[in-house]
Amino acid sequence: MELGACIRGLTVNQTTPNFIPRNQHFLIFRAPPNNQVTCASVKARRIFCCEATAKVNSSSTETVEKKVNTMSADYSWDVQLSSLTALCPLDGRYWAKVKELAPFMSEFGLIRFRVLVEIKWLMKLSQISEVSEVPSFSKEAESYLQGLIDGFSINDALEVKKIEKVTNHDVKAVEYYLKQRCQSHPEIAKVLEFFHFACTSEDINNLAHALMLKEALNKVILPVMVKLIAAICNVATANASIPMLSRTHGQPATPTTLGKEMAIFAYRLGREWREIAQAEILGKFAGAVGNYNAHLVAYPDIDWPQIAEEFVTSLGISFNPYVPQIEPHDYMAKLFHSIIQFNNILVDFDRDIWGYISLGYFKQITKAGEIGSSTMPHKVNPIDFENSEGNLGIANGGLSHLSTKLPISRWQRDLTDSTVLRNMGVGLGHSLLAYKSALQGIEKLQVNETSLIEDLNQTWEVLAEPIQTVMRRYGVPEPYEKLKELTRGRTVTKESIREFIKGLDIPTEAKTGLLNLTPHSYVGAAVELAENIETAISLANGVRLS
């Protein structure tokens, strides 16, 4: 076949391969039956090969420009999946930042945990004396079965998918895969039909999903959350005594310290981290509609609810005894709502930092070669916090749908949860990306004390609050009204404030205290609150930051 291209100077012939390698990504082209393509159709489809710059040796002197004139408008093409062709940016542009979730939240992860549950259930059956048809396994047989779990690979998952093409049922494909893998083992081969014994697909799936979440949270999400909280704590303690003008309603207000404002976010995030870390992940194993119907027909003398509870808890999952066909997903809704709230707090943080950068309170450490604006060379944009905010929005949109949809299932079960559950990794992936973006942004922050001091120097009116409060203590009539008259809508200076204080009829000691007060020193307990933030988080929320 001939390779159509819209790049000048690229020559082809009948021996040209049907793909162009570019940075290990492959662009595959399919020609129509008549093998004809027009330049117009190629340009209309804006094919990726426009980036190609290499030339292909040819015995012909014809250029692509001449050849495409003879090609048909029926041209079609397929593109092999790569980081450049992935529909989801998590699997493309951002893959390097989120790939650590893949072993847990991908379809490979789902299949791997299904295999684990199926094998562990067979091993559990071998431990029940009343199920005499499945004798206790030898150490060698147990080791063989455990090896199937520990050694499960991408190739094994592909084999399961190959079987699924025939069964058109993903869980049944896992059962058949395990039977194939174990039929050569003399001991296990005798009990192959006890794979998936008395199970509905959801007995396997709900535990697999629970394990996916448990592992993804414990090994990826929660540790990154801790890093984020710790990074904000570091900003808080490092700047505990740096005074800063508050801006309630966007207007100059009572001073605080930069560190204390960061400490607030660290504490808030710590509280939500605790909720997520302590979330109870539930599982069921009660058969087709949650009543152990088939179990009791086959073995009526076994306490199957007790067996199910033992099995589920052995996987590190809490047991849900009252279920329809599915585990009702209420715990998922609660968990995802907690993650949404963590994300909302981080959006608040991102926006505040964005604003402080805009005010000049923070500078951003630049990196050689990086560009802020394609046309304005001076710009250093707060892109990390903007990226974080944007991805948190996408994450919360997906997690919100999961939270509201999953607890609702028609009668004993419908399939709407099945397709939705496959998107758990999307919400967690965009969350992870946002956390890492925020961390990257924090690392670039550099406090601009000059800007902070200048703002405070220009806002002596903020001392109206402590002055009128001291006036109240000593019985001066209408203190609020007097300060309102002095400050509201007027330019207030150090001199005008001091003149007002000198004229007050209050004890000398109190007057001296007010005269020594400045916008920079009027920060209350902010310094101590910021300095103690790590201890406060550890005691209240159990977050170990180091």
Side-chain angles (χ1 to χ4, degrees), residues 18-43:
N18 67 342
F19 61 84
I20 297 176
R22 181 171 174 81
N23 297 332
Q24 299 183 345
H25 297 302
F26 299 95
L27 310 180
I28 300 178
F29 299 84
R30 309 292 183 199
N34 61 7
N35 202 33
Q36 299 294 301
V37 185
T38 66
C39 188
S41 67
V42 173
K43 289 182 178 179

Side-chain angles (χ1 to χ4, degrees), residues 312-497:
V312 170
T313 56
S314 73
L315 300 176
I317 298 167
S318 297
F319 180 62
N320 188 346
Y322 287 91
V323 294
Q325 184 177 103
I326 63 171
E327 200 293 316
H329 309 312
D330 297 329
Y331 84 86
M332 287 187 177
K334 184 176 181 180
L335 170 62
F336 294 146
H337 275 304
S338 293
I339 297 175
I340 288 171
Q341 183 57 19
F342 184 97
N343 291 352
N344 279 337
I345 295 169
L346 188 57
V347 168
D348 196 22
F349 172 81
D350 288 337
R351 291 180 179 177
D352 271 17
I353 295 295
W354 188 98
Y356 292 144
I357 292 172
S358 177
L359 290 171
Y361 290 178
F362 286 111
K363 295 180 180 179
Q364 295 178 96
I365 300 172
T366 58
K367 184 178 180 181
E370 287 189 348
I371 292 171
S373 166
S374 64
T375 188
M376 292 174 279
H378 66 281
K379 294 188 72 179
V380 183
N381 296 330
I383 56 174
D384 296 304
F385 299 105
E386 293 172 341
N387 184 281
S388 176
E389 180 183 342
N391 278 286
L392 290 169
I394 295 172
N396 283 1
L399 294 172
S400 177
H401 179 67
L402 290 167
S403 299
T404 55
K405 186 272 154 296
L406 288 176
I408 301 171
S409 185
R410 298 174 184 86
W411 294 348
Q412 280 68 45
R413 193 272 167 101
D414 66 57
L415 268 175
T416 54
D417 66 325
S418 179
T419 189
V420 171
L421 282 166
R422 291 181 182 274
N423 291 278
M424 291 192 300
V426 177
L428 293 183
H430 281 285
S431 296
L432 178 62
L433 178 59
Y435 305 156
K436 289 187 174 182
S437 294
L439 276 166
Q440 187 169 299
I442 292 169
E443 290 174 357
K444 296 178 183 178
L445 292 177
Q446 190 174 53
V447 177
N448 182 6
E449 290 191 51
T450 301
S451 180
L452 290 160
I453 292 171
E454 287 177 355
D455 262 9
L456 289 166
N457 284 338
Q458 296 172 12
T459 52
W460 280 80
E461 62 269 23
V462 297
L463 297 185
E465 180 190 37
I467 294 170
Q468 62 98 8
T469 303
V470 171
M471 290 167 67
R472 289 177 187 273
R473 175 183 177 182
Y474 294 106
V476 177
E478 298 183 333
Y480 178 88
E481 289 72 20
K482 287 182 172 65
L483 268 299
K484 179 180 176 183
E485 176 67 22
L486 174 69
T487 61
R488 195 170 189 184
R490 298 185 180 186
T491 300
V492 179
T493 65
K494 175 181 178 181
E495 290 72 24
S496 63
I497 281 287

Side-chain angles (χ1 to χ4, degrees), residues 229 232-233 236 260-274 342 345 529 532-543 545:
I229 295 168
I232 298 173
C233 274
K260 187 264 179 176
E261 298 312 300
M262 298 299 101
I264 293 171
F265 286 110
Y267 192 80
R268 292 173 67 194
L269 291 169
R271 287 178 60 86
E272 289 308 316
W273 182 93
R274 179 186 63 189
F342 184 97
I345 295 169
L529 288 168
N532 295 329
I533 183 58
E534 290 188 16
T535 301
I537 289 176
S538 179
L539 291 175
N541 305 316
V543 183
L545 301 177

Side-chain angles (χ1 to χ4, degrees), residues 70-91:
T70 66
M71 296 178 181
S72 164
D74 295 330
Y75 181 73
S76 65
W77 57 281
D78 295 319
V79 180
Q80 182 174 337
L81 179 63
S82 73
S83 63
L84 290 177
T85 60
L87 291 179
C88 176
L90 294 179
D91 298 319

